[in-house]
Coordinates of all heavy atoms in Angstrom, one line a residue:
I97 N -180.4 16.1 80.3 CA -181.4 17.0 80.8 C -181.1 18.4 80.4 O -182.0 19.2 80.0 CB -181.6 16.8 82.3 CG1 -182.1 15.4 82.6 CG2 -182.5 17.9 82.9 CD1 -182.1 15.1 84.1
A98 N -179.8 18.8 80.5 CA -179.4 20.2 80.2 C -179.7 20.4 78.7 O -180.1 21.5 78.3 CB -178.0 20.4 80.6
L99 N -179.3 19.5 77.9 CA -179.5 19.6 76.4 C -181.0 19.7 76.1 O -181.4 20.5 75.2 CB -178.9 18.4 75.7 CG -177.4 18.4 75.6 CD1 -176.9 17.1 74.9 CD2 -176.9 19.6 74.8
A100 N -181.8 19.0 76.8 CA -183.3 19.0 76.5 C -183.9 20.3 76.8 O -184.9 20.8 76.2 CB -184.0 17.9 77.3
K101 N -183.3 21.1 77.7 CA -183.8 22.4 78.1 C -183.0 23.5 77.5 O -183.3 24.7 77.8 CB -183.7 22.5 79.7 CG -184.5 21.5 80.4 CD -184.4 21.7 81.9 CE -185.3 20.7 82.7 NZ -185.1 20.8 84.1
E102 N -182.2 23.2 76.5 CA -181.3 24.2 75.9 C -182.1 25.0 74.8 O -182.0 24.7 73.6 CB -180.1 23.6 75.3 CG -179.0 24.6 74.9 CD -177.7 24.0 74.4 OE1 -177.4 22.8 74.9 OE2 -177.0 24.6 73.7
S103 N -183.0 25.9 75.2 CA -183.8 26.6 74.3 C -183.1 27.6 73.4 O -183.5 28.0 72.3 CB -185.0 27.3 75.0 OG -184.4 28.2 76.0
N104 N -181.9 28.1 73.9 CA -181.2 29.1 73.1 C -180.5 28.5 71.9 O -180.0 29.2 71.0 CB -180.1 29.7 74.1 CG -180.8 30.6 75.2 OD1 -181.9 31.1 75.0 ND2 -180.1 30.7 76.3
N105 N -180.3 27.2 71.9 CA -179.6 26.5 70.8 C -180.5 25.3 70.4 O -180.1 24.2 70.7 CB -178.2 26.1 71.2 CG -177.4 25.6 70.0 OD1 -177.9 25.6 68.9 ND2 -176.2 25.2 70.2
P106 N -181.5 25.5 69.6 CA -182.5 24.4 69.2 C -181.8 23.3 68.5 O -182.3 22.2 68.5 CB -183.5 25.1 68.4 CG -182.9 26.4 67.9 CD -182.0 26.8 69.0
E107 N -180.7 23.5 67.8 CA -180.0 22.5 67.1 C -179.5 21.4 68.1 O -179.2 20.3 67.7 CB -178.9 23.0 66.3 CG -179.4 23.7 65.0 CD -178.3 24.0 64.0 OE1 -177.1 23.6 64.3 OE2 -178.5 24.6 63.0
N108 N -179.2 21.8 69.3 CA -178.7 20.9 70.3 C -179.7 20.4 71.4 O -179.4 19.8 72.4 CB -177.5 21.5 71.0 CG -176.2 21.4 70.2 OD1 -176.2 20.7 69.2 ND2 -175.2 22.2 70.5
S109 N -180.9 20.8 71.2 CA -182.0 20.5 72.2 C -182.6 19.2 71.9 O -183.2 19.0 70.8 CB -183.0 21.6 72.1 OG -184.0 21.4 73.1
I110 N -182.5 18.3 72.8 CA -183.0 16.9 72.6 C -184.5 16.9 72.8 O -185.0 17.4 73.8 CB -182.3 15.9 73.6 CG1 -180.9 15.7 73.2 CG2 -183.0 14.6 73.6 CD1 -180.1 14.9 74.2
H111 N -185.2 16.3 71.9 CA -186.7 16.3 71.9 C -187.3 15.0 72.4 O -188.5 15.0 72.8 CB -187.2 16.7 70.5 CG -186.7 18.0 70.0 ND1 -185.9 18.1 68.9 CD2 -186.9 19.3 70.4 CE1 -185.6 19.4 68.7 NE2 -186.2 20.1 69.6
M112 N -186.5 13.9 72.3 CA -187.1 12.6 72.5 C -185.9 11.6 72.8 O -184.8 11.8 72.3 CB -187.9 12.1 71.4 CG -188.5 10.8 71.5 SD -189.2 10.3 69.9 CE -190.3 11.7 69.6
I113 N -186.2 10.6 73.6 CA -185.2 9.6 73.8 C -185.7 8.2 73.5 O -186.9 7.9 73.8 CB -184.8 9.6 75.3 CG1 -184.1 10.9 75.7 CG2 -183.8 8.4 75.6 CD1 -183.8 11.0 77.2
W114 N -184.9 7.5 72.7 CA -185.2 6.0 72.5 C -184.2 5.3 73.4 O -183.0 5.4 73.1 CB -185.0 5.7 71.0 CG -186.1 6.2 70.1 CD1 -187.2 6.9 70.5 CD2 -186.2 6.1 68.7 NE1 -188.0 7.2 69.4 CE2 -187.4 6.7 68.3 CE3 -185.3 5.5 67.8 CZ2 -187.7 6.8 66.9 CZ3 -185.7 5.6 66.4 CH2 -186.9 6.2 66.0
Y115 N -184.6 4.6 74.4 CA -183.7 3.9 75.3 C -183.7 2.4 75.0 O -184.8 1.7 75.1 CB -184.2 4.2 76.8 CG -183.1 3.8 77.8 CD1 -182.2 4.7 78.2 CD2 -183.0 2.5 78.2 CE1 -181.2 4.4 79.1 CE2 -182.0 2.1 79.1 CZ -181.1 3.1 79.5 OH -180.1 2.7 80.4
C116 N -182.6 1.9 74.6 CA -182.5 0.5 74.1 C -182.0 -0.4 75.2 O -181.0 -0.2 75.9 CB -181.5 0.4 72.9 SG -182.1 1.4 71.5
I117 N -182.7 -1.5 75.4 CA -182.3 -2.6 76.3 C -182.4 -3.9 75.5 O -183.4 -4.3 75.0 CB -183.2 -2.7 77.5 CG1 -183.2 -1.3 78.3 CG2 -182.8 -3.8 78.5 CD1 -184.2 -1.3 79.4
A118 N -181.3 -4.6 75.4 CA -181.3 -5.9 74.7 C -182.1 -6.9 75.4 O -181.8 -7.3 76.5 CB -179.8 -6.4 74.5
E119 N -183.2 -7.4 74.8 CA -184.0 -8.4 75.4 C -183.3 -9.7 75.5 O -183.6 -10.5 76.4 CB -185.3 -8.6 74.5 CG -186.4 -9.4 75.2 CD -187.7 -9.4 74.4 OE1 -188.3 -8.3 74.3 OE2 -188.0 -10.4 73.8
S120 N -182.3 -9.9 74.7 CA -181.5 -11.1 74.7 C -180.7 -11.2 76.0 O -180.2 -12.3 76.4 CB -180.6 -11.2 73.5 OG -179.7 -10.1 73.4
G121 N -180.5 -10.1 76.7 CA -179.7 -10.0 77.9 C -180.5 -10.5 79.1 O -180.0 -10.7 80.2
S122 N -181.9 -10.6 79.0 CA -182.8 -11.1 80.0 C -182.9 -10.3 81.3 O -183.3 -10.8 82.3 CB -182.4 -12.6 80.3 OG -182.4 -13.4 79.1
R123 N -182.4 -9.0 81.2 CA -182.6 -8.3 82.5 C -182.6 -6.8 82.2 O -182.1 -6.3 81.2 CB -181.4 -8.6 83.4 CG -180.0 -8.2 82.9 CD -178.9 -8.7 83.8 NE -177.6 -8.2 83.4 CZ -176.8 -7.5 84.1 NH1 -177.1 -7.2 85.4 NH2 -175.6 -7.2 83.7
V124 N -183.2 -6.1 83.1 CA -183.2 -4.6 83.2 C -182.4 -4.2 84.4 O -182.7 -4.6 85.5 CB -184.7 -4.1 83.3 CG1 -184.6 -2.5 83.4 CG2 -185.5 -4.5 82.2
T125 N -181.3 -3.5 84.2 CA -180.3 -3.3 85.2 C -180.8 -2.1 86.1 O -181.7 -1.3 85.7 CB -179.0 -2.9 84.7 OG1 -179.0 -1.7 84.0 CG2 -178.5 -4.0 83.7
D126 N -180.2 -1.9 87.2 CA -180.5 -0.8 88.1 C -180.1 0.5 87.4 O -180.8 1.6 87.5 CB -179.7 -0.9 89.4 CG -180.2 -2.0 90.3 OD1 -181.3 -2.4 90.1 OD2 -179.4 -2.4 91.2
Y127 N -179.0 0.5 86.5 CA -178.7 1.7 85.8 C -179.8 2.0 84.8 O -180.1 3.2 84.7 CB -177.4 1.4 85.0 CG -176.9 2.5 84.1 CD1 -176.0 3.4 84.6 CD2 -177.5 2.8 82.9 CE1 -175.6 4.5 83.8 CE2 -177.1 3.8 82.1 CZ -176.2 4.7 82.5 OH -175.8 5.8 81.8
D128 N -180.3 1.1 84.1 CA -181.5 1.3 83.2 C -182.6 2.0 83.9 O -183.1 3.0 83.5 CB -182.0 0.0 82.6 CG -180.9 -0.7 81.7 OD1 -180.2 0.1 81.0 OD2 -180.9 -1.9 81.7
L129 N -183.0 1.5 85.1 CA -184.1 2.0 85.9 C -183.8 3.4 86.3 O -184.7 4.3 86.3 CB -184.4 1.1 87.0 CG -184.9 -0.3 86.7 CD1 -185.1 -1.1 87.9 CD2 -186.3 -0.2 86.0
S130 N -182.6 3.7 86.7 CA -182.2 5.0 87.2 C -182.2 6.0 86.1 O -182.7 7.1 86.2 CB -180.8 4.9 87.8 OG -180.4 6.2 88.2
A131 N -181.7 5.6 84.9 CA -181.7 6.5 83.7 C -183.1 6.8 83.3 O -183.5 8.0 83.1 CB -180.9 5.8 82.6
L132 N -183.9 5.8 83.2 CA -185.3 6.0 82.7 C -186.1 6.9 83.7 O -186.8 7.8 83.2 CB -186.0 4.6 82.6 CG -185.6 3.7 81.5 CD1 -186.2 2.3 81.7 CD2 -185.9 4.3 80.2
Q133 N -185.9 6.7 85.0 CA -186.6 7.5 85.9 C -186.1 9.0 85.9 O -186.9 9.9 86.0 CB -186.5 6.9 87.4 CG -187.5 7.4 88.4 CD -188.9 7.1 88.0 OE1 -189.2 6.1 87.3 NE2 -189.8 7.9 88.5
T134 N -184.8 9.1 85.8 CA -184.3 10.5 85.7 C -184.8 11.3 84.5 O -185.2 12.4 84.6 CB -182.7 10.4 85.6 OG1 -182.2 9.7 86.8 CG2 -182.1 11.8 85.6
F135 N -184.8 10.6 83.4 CA -185.3 11.3 82.1 C -186.8 11.6 82.2 O -187.3 12.6 81.8 CB -185.0 10.4 80.9 CG -183.6 10.2 80.7 CD1 -183.1 9.0 80.1 CD2 -182.6 11.2 81.0 CE1 -181.8 8.8 79.9 CE2 -181.3 11.0 80.8 CZ -180.8 9.8 80.2
H136 N -187.6 10.6 82.8 CA -189.0 10.8 82.9 C -189.4 11.9 83.8 O -190.2 12.7 83.6 CB -189.6 9.5 83.4 CG -191.1 9.5 83.7 ND1 -192.0 9.7 82.6 CD2 -191.9 9.5 84.8 CE1 -193.3 9.8 83.1 NE2 -193.2 9.6 84.4
Q137 N -188.7 12.0 85.0 CA -188.9 13.1 85.9 C -188.6 14.4 85.4 O -189.2 15.5 85.8 CB -188.2 12.8 87.2 CG -188.7 11.6 88.0 CD -187.9 11.3 89.2 OE1 -186.7 11.8 89.4 NE2 -188.4 10.5 90.1
A138 N -187.7 14.5 84.4 CA -187.3 15.7 83.8 C -188.3 16.1 82.7 O -188.2 17.2 82.1 CB -185.9 15.6 83.2
G139 N -189.3 15.3 82.5 CA -190.3 15.6 81.5 C -190.0 15.3 80.1 O -190.7 15.7 79.1
L140 N -189.0 14.4 79.8 CA -188.6 14.0 78.5 C -189.4 12.8 78.0 O -189.6 11.9 78.7 CB -187.1 13.6 78.5 CG -186.1 14.8 78.5 CD1 -184.7 14.2 78.8 CD2 -186.1 15.5 77.2
P141 N -189.9 12.9 76.8 CA -190.6 11.7 76.2 C -189.6 10.6 76.0 O -188.6 10.7 75.4 CB -191.1 12.2 74.8 CG -191.1 13.7 74.9 CD -189.9 14.0 75.8
V142 N -189.9 9.4 76.6 CA -188.9 8.3 76.6 C -189.6 7.0 76.1 O -190.6 6.6 76.7 CB -188.3 8.0 78.0 CG1 -187.3 6.9 77.8 CG2 -187.7 9.2 78.5
A143 N -189.1 6.5 75.0 CA -189.6 5.2 74.5 C -188.6 4.1 75.0 O -187.4 4.3 74.8 CB -189.7 5.2 73.0
V144 N -189.1 3.0 75.5 CA -188.2 1.9 75.9 C -188.2 0.9 74.8 O -189.3 0.4 74.4 CB -188.6 1.3 77.2 CG1 -187.7 0.1 77.6 CG2 -188.7 2.3 78.3
L145 N -187.1 0.6 74.2 CA -187.0 -0.4 73.1 C -186.3 -1.7 73.6 O -185.2 -1.7 74.0 CB -186.2 0.1 72.0 CG -186.9 1.1 71.0 CD1 -187.4 2.4 71.7 CD2 -185.9 1.5 69.9
F146 N -187.1 -2.8 73.7 CA -186.5 -4.1 73.9 C -186.0 -4.6 72.6 O -186.8 -5.1 71.7 CB -187.6 -5.0 74.5 CG -187.8 -4.9 76.0 CD1 -188.7 -5.7 76.6 CD2 -187.1 -4.0 76.7 CE1 -189.0 -5.5 78.0 CE2 -187.3 -3.8 78.1 CZ -188.2 -4.6 78.7
T147 N -184.7 -4.5 72.4 CA -184.1 -4.9 71.1 C -183.8 -6.4 71.0 O -183.8 -7.1 72.0 CB -182.8 -4.1 70.8 OG1 -181.9 -4.3 71.9 CG2 -183.1 -2.6 70.8
K148 N -183.5 -6.8 69.8 CA -183.1 -8.2 69.6 C -184.1 -9.2 70.1 O -183.8 -10.3 70.7 CB -181.7 -8.5 70.2 CG -180.6 -7.6 69.8 CD -179.3 -7.9 70.4 CE -178.2 -7.0 69.9 NZ -176.8 -7.3 70.4
A149 N -185.4 -8.8 69.9 CA -186.5 -9.6 70.4 C -186.6 -11.0 69.7 O -187.2 -11.9 70.2 CB -187.8 -8.9 70.2
D150 N -186.0 -11.1 68.5 CA -186.0 -12.4 67.8 C -185.2 -13.5 68.4 O -185.5 -14.7 68.1 CB -185.5 -12.1 66.3 CG -184.1 -11.5 66.3 OD1 -184.0 -10.4 66.8 OD2 -183.2 -12.2 65.8
I151 N -184.3 -13.1 69.3 CA -183.5 -14.2 70.0 C -183.8 -14.3 71.4 O -183.0 -14.7 72.2 CB -182.0 -13.9 69.8 CG1 -181.6 -12.5 70.2 CG2 -181.6 -14.2 68.3 CD1 -180.1 -12.3 70.1
S152 N -185.0 -13.9 71.8 CA -185.5 -14.0 73.1 C -186.8 -14.8 73.1 O -187.1 -15.5 72.2 CB -185.8 -12.6 73.7 OG -186.2 -12.7 75.0
N153 N -187.6 -14.8 74.2 CA -188.9 -15.5 74.2 C -189.9 -14.7 75.0 O -189.6 -13.7 75.7 CB -188.7 -16.9 74.8 CG -188.0 -16.9 76.2 OD1 -188.6 -16.3 77.1 ND2 -186.8 -17.5 76.3
D154 N -191.1 -15.1 74.9 CA -192.2 -14.4 75.6 C -192.1 -14.3 77.1 O -192.3 -13.3 77.7 CB -193.6 -15.1 75.3 CG -193.9 -15.0 73.8 OD1 -193.3 -14.1 73.1 OD2 -194.8 -15.7 73.3
E155 N -191.6 -15.4 77.7 CA -191.4 -15.4 79.2 C -190.4 -14.3 79.6 O -190.6 -13.6 80.6 CB -191.0 -16.8 79.6 CG -192.0 -17.9 79.5 CD -192.2 -18.3 78.1 OE1 -191.3 -18.1 77.3 OE2 -193.3 -18.9 77.8
T156 N -189.3 -14.2 78.9 CA -188.3 -13.3 79.2 C -188.8 -11.8 79.0 O -188.6 -11.0 79.9 CB -187.0 -13.4 78.3 OG1 -186.4 -14.7 78.5 CG2 -186.0 -12.4 78.5
A157 N -189.5 -11.6 77.9 CA -190.1 -10.3 77.7 C -191.0 -9.9 78.8 O -191.0 -8.7 79.3 CB -190.8 -10.3 76.3
L158 N -191.9 -10.8 79.2 CA -192.8 -10.5 80.3 C -192.1 -10.2 81.6 O -192.5 -9.3 82.3 CB -193.8 -11.6 80.4 CG -194.9 -11.8 79.3 CD1 -195.7 -13.1 79.5 CD2 -195.8 -10.6 79.3
A159 N -191.1 -11.0 81.9 CA -190.4 -10.8 83.1 C -189.6 -9.4 83.1 O -189.6 -8.7 84.1 CB -189.4 -11.9 83.3
M160 N -189.1 -9.0 82.0 CA -188.4 -7.8 81.9 C -189.4 -6.6 81.9 O -189.1 -5.6 82.6 CB -187.5 -7.7 80.6 CG -186.3 -8.7 80.6 SD -185.5 -8.7 79.0 CE -184.9 -7.0 78.9
K161 N -190.5 -6.8 81.3 CA -191.5 -5.7 81.3 C -192.0 -5.4 82.7 O -192.2 -4.3 83.1 CB -192.7 -6.1 80.5 CG -193.8 -5.1 80.4 CD -195.0 -5.5 79.5 CE -196.1 -4.5 79.5 NZ -197.2 -4.9 78.6
A162 N -192.1 -6.5 83.5 CA -192.6 -6.3 84.9 C -191.6 -5.5 85.8 O -191.9 -5.0 86.8 CB -192.8 -7.7 85.5
M163 N -190.3 -5.5 85.3 CA -189.3 -4.7 86.1 C -189.4 -3.2 85.9 O -188.9 -2.5 86.6 CB -187.9 -5.2 85.7 CG -187.6 -6.6 85.9 SD -185.9 -7.1 85.3 CE -185.9 -8.8 85.3

Side-chain angles (χ1 to χ4, degrees):
I97 294 170
L99 286 173
K101 296 180 178 179
E102 192 173 333
S103 57
N104 292 331
N105 188 359
E107 288 192 1
N108 282 347
S109 181
I110 292 173
H111 303 112
M112 178 189 306
I113 297 174
W114 289 356
Y115 194 94
C116 300
I117 302 174
E119 194 172 289
S120 56
S122 304
R123 66 189 182 123
V124 178
T125 68
D126 290 340
Y127 178 96
D128 294 325
L129 294 174
S130 178
L132 291 172
Q133 196 63 24
T134 300
F135 298 147
H136 177 66
Q137 289 176 348
L140 284 167
V142 182
V144 181
L145 280 58
F146 279 179
T147 61
K148 304 183 181 183
D150 54 296
I151 53 178
S152 181
N153 55 60
D154 293 341
E155 291 75 19
T156 296
L158 287 172
M160 291 176 64
K161 180 178 180 180
M163 298 177 192

